[in-house]
């Protein structure tokens, strides 16, 4: 690896890290992204991008790189209870997008390369501060920078090394996802509620749907066992060939004691996460990446100290707290069937007020 000092080194080549790199490069910063896995990177993900996230992809210039056959439009969210009660709510313009995670990764990588971001396959196992810089180090060598952006996911090793790990959640939730070769039956993300679990069915290509389960550990947690708990989803998939192996993630609820330190910031899931129940994680990651890119030049000019980076902490809180409130409200509905059924009945009878709430939360 070259010993020259970059403006920013990003640890992790997922959507958050790549989005920051693209936006920062557009502001004239020299950025290097270090990712230990060979790209494009896959991950257990519901693969739905809500309207705010679609607009962010367009601003970043990555939307045009998303392969058409690897994505599908999402016009509404459809909540379905175990007893068949359902409510369908339209998404605000421009609507959402279901996109295979590898296709999203490829699109962001293509755009990053287009704007001059340096992409390197390298593992980061440590970092240290020196005079005027911070150095990311690993088996492939060292990369010095003025700012280190840790976008290395839920279980962020950078967060742990930096001593920013928050307390563990009281109730751990997990996810598992698999794809099936079947044309989407509607332009909707379906959320099926069950006992201690939810099933998410997302159009993820012209001839593919992704099925993800979010759950607390109660009994068998294999994909097949979880699918058996949702007969309506199972019937829809009858005869469809699996297109990918099950891939898991979790526990979801991760906390950091702070997002900033001298010459270091946490971004994306590494900065903190509640749950995937709202499908809003990608939109949140893109928004925070753009916020960080906007303030990074001034912060770096001031030495990228904790004080200089504090505006990012404030911007993150403005984004994260509404997401956390919306997510915890959805978790409460998932855990209280009687209240959920009443709310679904109201939403089915009078969708307009609920669509305004959804638009405010995810639009």
């Amino acid at each position: 690896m070259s010993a020259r000092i970059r403006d920013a080194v990003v640890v992790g080549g997922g959507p958050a890290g790549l989005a920051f790199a693209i936006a920062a490069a557009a502001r004239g910063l020299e950025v290097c992204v270090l990712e230990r896995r060979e790209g494009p990177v896959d991950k257990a993900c519901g693969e739905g991008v809500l309207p705010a996230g679609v607009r962010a992809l367009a601003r970043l210039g990555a939307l045009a790189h998303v392969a058409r056959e690897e994505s599908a439009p999402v016009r509404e969210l459809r909540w379905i209870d175990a007893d068949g009660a359902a409510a369908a709510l339209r998404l605000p313009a421009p609507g959402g997008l279901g996109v295979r995670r590898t296709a999203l990764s490829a699109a962001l990588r293509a755009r990053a390369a287009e704007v001059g971001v340096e992409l390197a396959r390298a593992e980061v196992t440590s970092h240290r501060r020196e005079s005027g810089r911070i150095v990311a180090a690993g088996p492939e060598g060292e990369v010095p920078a003025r700012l280190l952006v840790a976008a290395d996911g839920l279980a962020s090793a950078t967060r742990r090394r930096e001593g920013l790990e928050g307390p563990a959640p009281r109730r751990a939730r997990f996810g598992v996802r698999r794809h099936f070769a079947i044309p989407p039956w509607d332009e909707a993300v379906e959320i099926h509620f069950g006992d201690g679990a939810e099933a998410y069915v997302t159009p993820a290509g012209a001839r593919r749907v992704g099925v993800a389960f979010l759950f607390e550990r109660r009994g068998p947690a294999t994909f097949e066992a979880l699918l058996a708990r949702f007969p309506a989803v199972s019937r829809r998939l009858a005869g469809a060939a699996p297109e990918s192996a099950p891939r898991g993630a979790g526990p979801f609820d991760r906390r950091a004691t702070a997002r900033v330190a001298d010459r270091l910031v946490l971004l994306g899931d590494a900065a903190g996460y509640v749950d995937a129940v709202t499908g809003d994680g990608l939109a949140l990651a893109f928004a925070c990446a753009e916020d960080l890119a906007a303030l990074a030049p001034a912060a770096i000019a001031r030495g990228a100290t904790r004080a200089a980076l504090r505006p990012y902490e404030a911007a993150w809180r403005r984004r994260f707290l509404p997401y956390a409130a919306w997510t915890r409200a959805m978790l409460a509905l998932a855990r209280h069937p009687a209240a959920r059924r009443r709310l679904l009945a109201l939403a089915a009878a009078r969708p307009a007020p609920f669509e305004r709430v959804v638009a405010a939360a995810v639009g």
Side-chain angles (χ1 to χ4, degrees):
M1 303 293 292
S2 168
R4 74 179 185 280
I5 301 177
R6 283 76 166 178
D7 292 311
V9 164
V10 181
V11 181
L18 289 169
F20 164 76
I22 293 165
R27 293 175 179 273
L29 298 185
E30 184 181 4
V31 185
C32 176
V33 176
L34 304 178
E35 169 55 54
R36 62 182 175 82
R37 296 161 293 182
E38 188 172 2
V41 176
D42 199 3
K43 177 188 173 183
C45 174
E47 300 183 322
V49 184
L50 294 176
V54 174
R55 287 194 295 273
L57 285 173
R59 287 193 301 270
L60 292 167
L63 190 59
H65 290 277
V66 175
R68 183 171 299 179
E69 66 277 8
E70 298 291 329
S71 63
V74 174
R75 306 299 180 195
E76 67 180 31
L77 303 179
R78 191 173 298 157
W79 284 279
I80 304 168
D81 215 332
D83 63 0
L89 302 178
R90 299 286 292 179
L91 288 170
L97 188 70
V99 56
R100 183 73 171 89
R101 183 61 177 248
T102 48
L104 177 63
S105 176
L108 287 163
R109 286 176 64 88
R111 178 57 177 163
E114 195 172 70
V115 297
V117 173
E118 180 184 359
L119 302 170
R121 187 177 180 189
E123 182 178 9
V124 176
T125 56
S126 66
H127 65 274
R128 68 181 186 275
R129 292 172 176 83
E130 297 177 350
S131 178
R133 66 183 189 171
I134 188 166
V135 180
E140 291 78 18
E142 298 186 345
V143 186
R146 296 174 178 85
L147 174 67
L148 189 148
V149 178
D152 48 348
L154 283 172
S156 170
T158 310
R159 183 180 64 218
R160 290 197 306 274
R161 286 196 303 268
E162 191 64 21
L164 297 176
E165 190 79 16
R170 290 177 296 172
R171 299 177 69 171
R173 296 236 305 167
F174 300 84
V176 61
R177 179 218 65 195
R178 195 173 200 183
H179 300 96
F180 292 85
I182 182 174
W185 47 87
D186 214 338
E187 294 182 343
V189 171
E190 293 183 353
I191 303 101
H192 296 255
F193 291 99
D195 181 20
E198 306 92 57
Y200 296 76
V201 181
T202 304
R207 301 189 60 81
R208 177 193 303 117
V209 297
V211 179
F213 299 105
L214 304 184
F215 59 94
E216 296 176 14
R217 289 197 183 276
R218 298 180 188 173
T222 65
F223 187 91
E224 292 75 14
L226 289 161
L227 180 58
R229 292 162 65 175
F230 294 89
V233 178
S234 185
R235 285 193 295 270
R236 282 284 196 178
L237 298 176
E243 204 180 69
S244 65
R247 182 182 287 267
F252 291 125
D253 194 343
R254 301 298 180 104
R255 302 166 192 182
T257 56
R259 261 52 52 186
V260 302
D262 284 342
R263 302 191 194 96
L264 183 144
V265 299
L266 303 179
L267 178 65
D269 294 350
Y273 194 69
V274 178
D275 197 272
V277 67
T278 61
D280 212 19
L282 285 169
L284 176 68
F286 295 149
C288 291
E290 289 183 303
D291 288 342
L292 178 58
L295 62 86
I300 290 170
R302 294 176 56 202
T305 62
R306 184 191 302 267
L309 291 165
R310 198 164 290 137
Y312 169 67
E313 178 81 37
W316 179 88
R317 289 182 179 279
R318 286 195 301 272
R319 303 276 189 190
F320 187 84
L321 294 180
Y323 147 80
W326 170 243
T327 300
R328 292 192 175 103
M330 290 297 297
L331 282 172
L333 281 180
R335 290 166 174 160
H336 295 87
R340 181 175 71 239
R341 292 184 186 112
R342 287 195 295 271
L343 198 65
L344 286 178
L346 284 171
R350 297 186 60 195
F354 291 88
E355 288 177 342
R356 288 194 289 272
V357 172
V358 169
V362 306

